[in-house]
Structure formats: C-alpha cells, structure tokens
Amino acid sequence: MDFLSPVISIWMALAIATFVVLLFRTAPYGRHADQVRLPTLPHRVGWIIMETVSPLALCAGLILTGNSARWPMLLVVLWVGHYVYRAWIYPFRARWANKRMPIVIMLSAIGFNVVNGGLNGMALADESYSFIWNRPTVWVGAALFAAGLLVNLQSDRILMSLRAPGETDYRIPRGGFFRWVSCPNYLGELVEWIGFALMAATPAAWAFALWTAANLIPRALSHHRWYQSHFAEYPRQRQAVIPFVL
C-alpha cells in the first residue's frame, strides 16, 4: 500500500506540530478546564466512546486491508487488550464523581483514534508486512510493553485510592513511581507504545509512539506545574514524567 508512507509522514509532522502547540496551550479538561463554557457530557460516557473507537478502527484497518491468516495476532491482542481495559474497565473504577468532559475533546480524540487505529491496522495487514518473531527487538519491546502496563496499572490504583466515593478534592499521590515523577501513568503509557513500536517495527507504530509523547509529555508538564502551584509541600525531587530527566 504505497499511499501509507506519505500519509504516515504527514501524520508524524502533525504530531510534532501538536507537541509544540500543547507546550503553550493545555487541553481544557480535567483540572485544566478553563473558564470558557464549552458544551460537555459526563466524563465517563465521553471516555468510553472515544477509547472504544481505537480497537474498532484497528480491526477495520485489518479487515479492509488483508487476509486474516496473515495478521500478527500477538500485536492485535496487545492493542485490543490495552483498549478493553482503557475503555471498559478503567472508567468504571475511576472516581470521577460528577466530572464532565468538553464534547470537543471527545470528538478530537475520536478523530485521532480513527486515523491512528486505521493506519496501524492497515500497516499490520499490508501484504508487504511480515512479523518476525525472533528479532531481539520483539522481546525487548514485549518487556517494555509489559513494564509500561504494570506502571500504568499501579499508578491508576494509587490515584483511585486518593478519593473516597463522591469526593472531588485533589491530593498529592505517593508511592510507586510517584516517588520520582508526577505522572507515572503517562510514563507507563509512553513506555507501552514504544515497546509496541519496537515489536511491530512499522512506521505507523512509531508514529503512534510519537503521538503518545506529543500528547502526554506536555500534559505531564502541565500537571507537574499545577501540583507545584497548589501544594506548598509538593516533593521537590519529583520530575514531571521521566525520572531524573524531565
């Protein structure tokens, strides 16, 4: 599929541009919601809808592109498994109380997931693609994916334990990778998709890793500054997202 290469190049360029924009303009939801009144919907509903799109888009890309006998099922299972947790387990565990999400945020996430999932599905099903099990990068990538997932799950558990049901106040999270960074959940997500890219070895997978960094690193920096401005006792040794670095 020759058209994929220029499309993915443009997709990567958009990720870099997004990174630059987000360094100066934090997406207006969650603790960073600004004073502009945007149409909203319940946060849990918006989250489920936008995260469910990603595995559906991947499967659509696979089905529309290639023979199912050639699909790298390990990569498909990792992708779908990640999003089953993100879309259908995590939002029912999170204590979001009456939190709401701007509809424009949900729609932008849906658009991203349609393109990103579709591109990765098409790349994995392309007739020129062959998943080689015995590459060292496959095993390194699998280890990174597993490590990132564990960091993500641990960080989610710590964050969820900060509030009793119905509470909305923010507190300083402690324990786990919160010893070193303000947003270990974002660190875990980034490590996961770098691991996936090493395993898949496709430009589409590396574009997703780039997009993950472009979205989450600026968000982590904003969270870090928010914690520092709201808690005088916030640990000084913590970085935002990468231990001892950033």
Side-chain angles (χ1 to χ4, degrees):
M1 301 182 71
D2 294 338
F3 79 92
L4 274 182
S5 293
V7 171
I8 291 171
S9 295
I10 294 170
W11 191 231
M12 286 182 165
L14 286 173
I16 295 170
T18 298
F19 175 76
V20 174
V21 170
L22 291 178
L23 284 176
F24 299 97
R25 179 70 173 95
T26 303
Y29 66 94
R31 73 192 68 189
H32 305 292
D34 56 27
Q35 299 303 310
V36 178
R37 300 298 298 176
L38 298 172
T40 64
L41 76 168
H43 193 91
R44 185 172 285 108
V45 173
W47 185 277
I48 291 171
I49 292 171
M50 71 187 197
E51 293 293 294
T52 299
V53 168
S54 188
L56 295 179
L58 179 87
C59 292
L62 289 166
I63 292 167
L64 293 173
T65 304
N67 183 344
S68 61
R70 299 186 62 256
W71 295 352
M73 291 309 298
L74 173 61
L75 300 178
V76 175
V77 168
L78 290 178
W79 184 293
V80 173
H82 171 91
Y83 280 103
V84 165
Y85 169 74
R86 297 303 291 173
W88 291 100
I89 298 175
Y90 170 73
F92 291 102
R93 296 176 62 209
R95 292 173 178 172
W96 284 329
N98 297 318
K99 194 173 179 182
R100 299 186 67 83
M101 175 186 292
I103 292 174
V104 68
I105 294 295
M106 182 193 72
L107 293 177
S108 64
I110 289 173
F112 170 80
N113 285 333
V114 167
V115 176
N116 186 60
L119 286 176
N120 275 276
M122 287 187 287
L124 294 179
D126 186 73
E127 62 182 12
S128 65
Y129 178 69
S130 178
F131 180 60
I132 302 172
W133 285 84
N134 59 359
R135 285 185 295 111
T137 51
V138 170
W139 303 107
V140 173
L144 286 175
F145 191 95
L149 177 62
L150 290 175
V151 170
N152 218 325
L153 292 174
Q154 181 194 55
S155 304
D156 284 350
R157 180 182 58 78
I158 291 171
L159 289 172
M160 290 170 192
S161 70
L162 293 177
R163 294 174 178 166
E167 287 186 339
T168 58
D169 292 341
Y170 287 97
R171 297 183 175 87
I172 299 175
R174 301 184 188 277
F177 272 72
F178 284 104
R179 296 183 182 91
W180 300 288
V181 293
S182 294
C183 300
N185 47 336
Y186 293 170
L187 171 64
E189 188 99 357
L190 181 56
V191 170
E192 275 187 73
W193 294 116
I194 290 173
F196 184 89
L198 283 169
M199 296 176 73
T202 65
W206 281 110
F208 185 22
L210 179 62
W211 266 104
T212 303
N215 277 308
L216 297 187
I217 290 176
R219 188 79 177 169
L221 292 170
S222 296
H223 277 17
H224 188 62
R225 291 191 294 267
W226 185 93
Y227 277 123
Q228 291 175 324
S229 67
H230 284 74
F231 298 100
E233 71 278 21
Y234 196 70
R236 293 179 178 272
Q237 74 276 13
R238 287 188 193 178
Q239 297 292 332
V241 64
I242 302 175
F244 314 113
V245 177
L246 180 67

